[in-house]
Amino acid sequence: MPLRVLDLRGKEPPFDDFLPRPAAPGADVHDAVARILAEVHGEGDVAIVRCTAEFDGVDVSNGLRVTAEEIDEAVARADADLRGALKVAYDRIVAYHAEEGTPPGDVVDGGITVSHLVRPVDRAGLYAPGGRARYPSTVLMCAAPARVAGVGSIALCVPPGPDGRVDDATLCAAAVAGVDEVYRIGGAQAIGALAFGTDSVPAADVIAGPGNAYVAEAKRQVSGVVGVASAFSGPSEVVVVAGPSAPAAFAAIDLVVQAEHGPDGLAWLVTWDDELLGAVAAEVDRIVAASPRRADLEATLVSAGIACLVDTPAHAMAVANIVAPEHLQLMVSGGEADTLLAQVRNAGAVFVGEWSPASMGDYVAGPNHVLPTNRTARFASALRADDFRKHVHAVRVTPDAVRALGPYVVTLAEIEGLPAHADSVRRRLNALGEAES
């Protein structure tokens, strides 16, 4: 079959309209995957066994996990050349990735040079919430790392107010941060516009910024069509881990800080001191009763305002790591704060000590306040410049490296049933042999 010719002679960049794009999955694929995921979520292993039988024609009801004995037997059966090639490949992969976090530079190993190229995305789409409140600080938090990354074009979507306007503070923040375009669009429709593009809104490459549950779900659904930075930041969350010496007034107001953002978030106090728990709960009640945002506070606290009493500080940290909150405050004294900090596994951001409220991080501490929520802190991090960058490796191979490592490539390609992969190296090995003869 001849190759398809795409002739761009006489055309000028950008070439977007002339280049084919991969087809998006159709509704049949989307619906089928959604059904499978729902079944696995609801039925667990039973659904996996059923789907494996349906799609792969295999009965795995006798056990999903491959046993250690099976693995040992497979290793014993494997050809020595295969085992050797796998080990060489693994060692080289480890060696490269061990260098990845070091300052940019070429990694040279055995005649192969790998250059690390860092490139910003072309266009970022930012989202700042509106409606219940205005968030010019979020505009700064999203735009600053995009600018540092070198993004060429930055668009911002903000829900319009009742008069159809975007408030002045938000527009001022957009101007300070050098945002190129501002759109009066909010909710899931804003995420759709940034992901797919419309007549008015060009599509973005990465979307960043917090929002309500609908915004978070929209980002989840378009992930893969467009990059979604900092996991899926949604309604605000805090866990305050407080010891007996914590000022109840501080702990209470810091719980209210996050509840102030409105429903669907969470505000947890975790302590091993029942007297402190009572004092904090009473203070929260007083603050809520006097607040002009009482309705928003009550909406969050009724559904997800929790005071958790545990036996020990270590148990408190175990709770915090399971919740994996957006904000974690360690309100304990002296060296105990460092002890608990060492036990943190899952949190978007940690605020250490009674003088470190999350509010400082929301505005002026420096790190980003766009943080992973809904337990995504188990695998995700705060928004940062790298969310707007791509990392590309450029590989240069010498003839000596082909001689030394090429046979391992041939072995691995053949075991995977990819003859053209093997032949691409074998032809070079043959060419080197002919040149030397």
Side-chain angles (χ1 to χ4, degrees):
M1 179 182 294
L3 298 176
R4 176 185 175 190
V5 176
L6 182 64
D7 190 347
L8 299 180
R9 289 175 295 184
K11 311 254 187 329
E12 295 291 333
F15 295 117
D16 301 59
D17 293 339
F18 307 111
L19 302 179
R21 296 171 181 254
D28 55 341
V29 175
H30 177 278
D31 294 348
V33 170
R35 176 180 64 83
I36 292 167
L37 293 178
E39 290 174 359
V40 172
H41 184 256
E43 303 176 61
D45 286 354
V46 172
I48 292 174
V49 170
R50 182 175 63 249
C51 290
T52 303
E54 180 181 351
F55 302 121
D56 299 323
V58 179
D59 180 6
V60 292
S61 59
N62 62 338
L64 296 177
R65 181 169 178 173
V66 177
T67 66
E69 291 77 10
E70 289 177 280
I71 296 172
D72 290 341
E73 290 167 1
V75 172
R77 289 192 299 267
D79 182 81
D81 287 345
L82 172 60
R83 292 199 301 267
L86 290 169
K87 185 66 168 63
V88 168
Y90 178 75
D91 289 345
R92 292 184 61 83
I93 295 165
V94 167
Y96 171 76
H97 286 286
E99 296 287 336
E100 251 187 346
T102 59
D106 292 347
V107 177
V108 182
D109 184 7
I112 295 181
T113 301
V114 181
S115 302
H116 185 185
L117 312 179
V118 181
R119 299 290 185 266
V121 300
D122 293 331
R123 180 171 169 82
L126 311 181
Y127 186 90
R132 289 185 172 84
R134 53 187 178 184
Y135 295 98
S137 61
T138 294
V139 177
L140 304 181
M141 289 286 181
C142 292
R147 280 292 177 222
V148 169
V151 175
S153 174
I154 300 177
L156 170 67
C157 284
V158 185
D163 60 357
R165 296 167 56 85
V166 174
D167 76 275
D168 290 348
T170 300
L171 293 178
C172 184
V176 167
V179 171
D180 299 293
E181 306 151 30
V182 180
Y183 297 93
R184 61 185 94 249
I185 314 172
Q189 62 270 31
I191 302 305
L194 293 171
F196 305 122
T198 71
D199 290 342
S200 300
V201 185
D205 300 306
V206 169
I207 295 174
N212 63 18
Y214 292 94
V215 170
E217 178 57 24
K219 288 194 288 183
R220 194 184 313 276
Q221 292 196 20
V222 301
S223 178
V225 175
V226 64
V228 175
S230 186
F232 303 98
S233 48
S236 194
E237 306 168 342
V238 67
V239 169
V240 176
V241 173
S245 63
F250 287 7
I253 193 64
D254 290 348
L255 290 169
V256 170
V257 162
Q258 302 309 322
E260 193 170 51
H261 288 287
D264 300 319
L266 62 84
W268 283 43
L269 170 71
V270 184
T271 183
W272 49 99
D273 187 277
D274 55 355
E275 186 175 333
L276 177 72
L277 186 152
V280 172
E283 182 64 19
V284 167
D285 287 344
R286 283 192 290 272
I287 295 171
V288 171
S291 174
R293 297 178 68 86
R294 180 173 181 172
D296 285 336
L297 293 176
E298 290 179 340
T300 298
L301 295 174
V302 166
S303 63
I306 293 178
C308 181
L309 188 63
V310 295
D311 288 325
T312 66
H315 290 177
M317 294 310 299
V319 170
N321 282 320
I322 292 170
V323 177
E326 178 189 21
H327 305 91
L328 173 61
Q329 292 191 216
L330 303 179
M331 205 170 288
V332 292
S333 58
E336 190 174 20
D338 290 331
T339 300
L340 296 190
L341 181 62
Q343 298 173 37
V344 173
R345 298 288 300 168
N346 303 319
V350 186
F351 299 87
V352 184
E354 63 188 51
W355 297 104
S356 306
S359 296
M360 295 295 289
D362 283 343
Y363 296 107
V364 297
N368 215 285
H369 80 198
V370 179
L371 299 165
T373 62
N374 196 27
R375 298 194 69 229
T376 57
R378 293 174 297 120
F379 54 82
S381 309
L383 185 66
R384 54 184 182 150
D386 218 37
D387 286 311
F388 300 98
R389 294 180 178 132
K390 302 158 293 180
H391 296 260
V392 182
H393 55 265
V395 180
R396 297 178 179 85
V397 184
T398 65
D400 286 343
V402 173
R403 290 191 192 92
L405 299 170
Y408 298 118
V409 175
V410 171
T411 296
L412 293 171
E414 288 181 338
I415 201 69
E416 292 186 352
L418 300 171
H421 284 64
D423 204 35
S424 71
V425 172
R426 190 181 289 110
R427 291 187 184 200
R428 287 168 170 80
L429 289 169
N430 291 340
L432 288 171
E434 292 169 0
E436 292 167 356
S437 61

